[in-house]
Amino acid sequence: MSASLSRLRRVTCVVTDIDPAALYLESLFRAQRLENVPTHIHRASGLHLAHIGLGDLVIELVAPQVKDDAWGKCLDQYGPHVASLAYGIEDMDQLLAELSDDKLEFTKADSGVIWCKSRALIGFDLILEPWKQGPLAGLTRRWGEVSPMLHVEITHHDIAQAGRWLKRIFGSQRVEQEFSEFLVGITAGRMDIQHFSLGDAVLQYIEPRHDAGPWWELLQKAGPSVHNITWLVNDMDAVADASLAAGTRDLRYFEFDYAPLFGEENRIGDKTVGRIIDCAHILGFHLELSERQAKNINDYMYKEV
């Protein structure tokens, strides 16, 4: 029996400096700084810590101040990166039994929070907290000038292995299959792409071929890792201008015709512009942004965007 998860509570990113990261998100999207966000991180542990709301996602920024502590070593090993995703879980005892059977490394804090060292398996660690909701539970989670988050995109050497583990432990399912198969087609086979649910979030797994550019390069450098996080935006030109003003550039620029997938009658324009902004050195992840692809996009998405 798989463990029941809450909605995604936080994505924790290890960065070199919190202020530039927060200002960057504010300047591009009017993201919102949040106060009193519940967290597994001890606020007096020699870290700079901040929380930013973007779309429906809480981004937790952690800047280590001591090079030789665990966070500092993590930054030194991987550079700025996404460290973990946090969820609430109903049955901690069941989960602990599952993880013990897997011989997977984890720690359990006095607060009951489990830190599961699952990066090698699924591309990120998991923070699993008692189900009891914190102060953000009752808020309408919609911050900044973006859609709800579409995907957390992960480069991985074995999608099937990651998917099997997620399904066995958490009941994750393949979702958005038509969309992912369409994406495989327009990338000319340079990568396999599969989407899996985890709580209310969608994990977009990329298994890159050697000619897949930055996805392959990150996988070779850091192993399974979060490459980017994806949102829809209404004014791509304004975002592009703000990115240039902030000193960042596109890692990739796309112009796609999605009518073969969504239907000619649902077309919004002649083309859909997308871009991946090269900002992992600031945020710990790249930004993947797209204009709304079609009038009926929500018919193909796991959650409404």
Side-chain angles (χ1 to χ4, degrees), residues 70-126:
W71 289 100
K73 290 177 181 177
C74 197
L75 179 61
D76 184 62
Q77 180 177 2
Y78 296 114
H81 66 283
V82 172
S84 61
L85 275 62
Y87 290 88
I89 189 162
E90 281 192 312
D91 191 336
M92 283 288 186
D93 291 336
Q94 175 193 334
L95 177 67
L96 286 170
E98 293 275 7
L99 295 179
S100 297
D101 289 345
D102 273 5
K103 297 181 171 57
L104 194 64
E105 182 184 355
F106 64 89
T107 59
K108 184 177 181 182
D110 292 341
S111 61
V113 174
I114 296 171
W115 187 327
C116 178
K117 304 299 180 67
S118 52
R119 179 186 174 104
L121 269 176
I122 57 174
F124 53 87
D125 287 350
L126 280 165

Side-chain angles (χ1 to χ4, degrees), residues 270-281:
D270 293 337
K271 61 187 178 183
T272 299
V273 172
R275 57 183 7 107
I276 299 177
I277 299 178
D278 187 1
C279 56
H281 59 291

Side-chain angles (χ1 to χ4, degrees), residues 176-196:
E176 302 178 357
Q177 192 161 343
E178 289 178 273
F179 186 49
S180 60
E181 290 172 354
F182 178 81
L183 295 176
V184 169
I186 60 180
T187 60
R190 289 189 298 275
M191 54 185 70
D192 188 16
I193 303 172
Q194 294 183 27
H195 296 177
F196 292 91

Side-chain angles (χ1 to χ4, degrees), residues 10-22 25 38-52 58-66 69-76 79-85 115 127 280-285:
R10 301 179 306 283
V11 170
T12 301
C13 306
V14 181
V15 299
T16 56
D17 194 337
I18 280 175
D19 287 337
L25 292 170
T39 177
H40 64 290
I41 298 172
H42 194 280
R43 295 177 185 272
S45 55
L47 301 167
H48 289 172
L49 183 66
H51 295 94
I52 309 296
V58 177
I59 300 169
E60 182 169 65
L61 300 172
V62 179
Q65 301 302 298
V66 180
D69 69 6
W71 289 100
K73 290 177 181 177
C74 197
L75 179 61
D76 184 62
H81 66 283
V82 172
S84 61
L85 275 62
W115 187 327
I127 304 301
H281 59 291
I282 302 172
L283 300 177
F285 58 91

Side-chain angles (χ1 to χ4, degrees), residues 231-292:
W231 288 270
L232 301 178
V233 296
N234 290 326
D235 192 341
M236 186 66 81
D237 289 340
V239 172
D241 290 344
S243 169
L244 288 172
T248 51
R249 300 290 185 271
D250 289 346
L251 187 68
R252 287 288 189 272
Y253 174 86
F254 313 105
E255 291 183 3
F256 290 145
D257 180 4
Y258 285 95
L261 174 63
F262 297 121
E264 187 66 38
E265 70 278 10
N266 296 303
R267 181 190 292 277
I268 293 176
D270 293 337
K271 61 187 178 183
T272 299
V273 172
R275 57 183 7 107
I276 299 177
I277 299 178
D278 187 1
C279 56
H281 59 291
I282 302 172
L283 300 177
F285 58 91
H286 300 301
L287 289 166
E288 181 168 353
L289 307 170
S290 176
E291 298 172 328
R292 190 164 292 271

Side-chain angles (χ1 to χ4, degrees), residues 27-49:
S27 67
L28 264 65
F29 309 113
R30 297 188 182 178
Q32 184 176 334
R33 297 197 191 210
L34 306 175
E35 302 294 333
N36 302 316
V37 175
T39 177
H40 64 290
I41 298 172
H42 194 280
R43 295 177 185 272
S45 55
L47 301 167
H48 289 172
L49 183 66

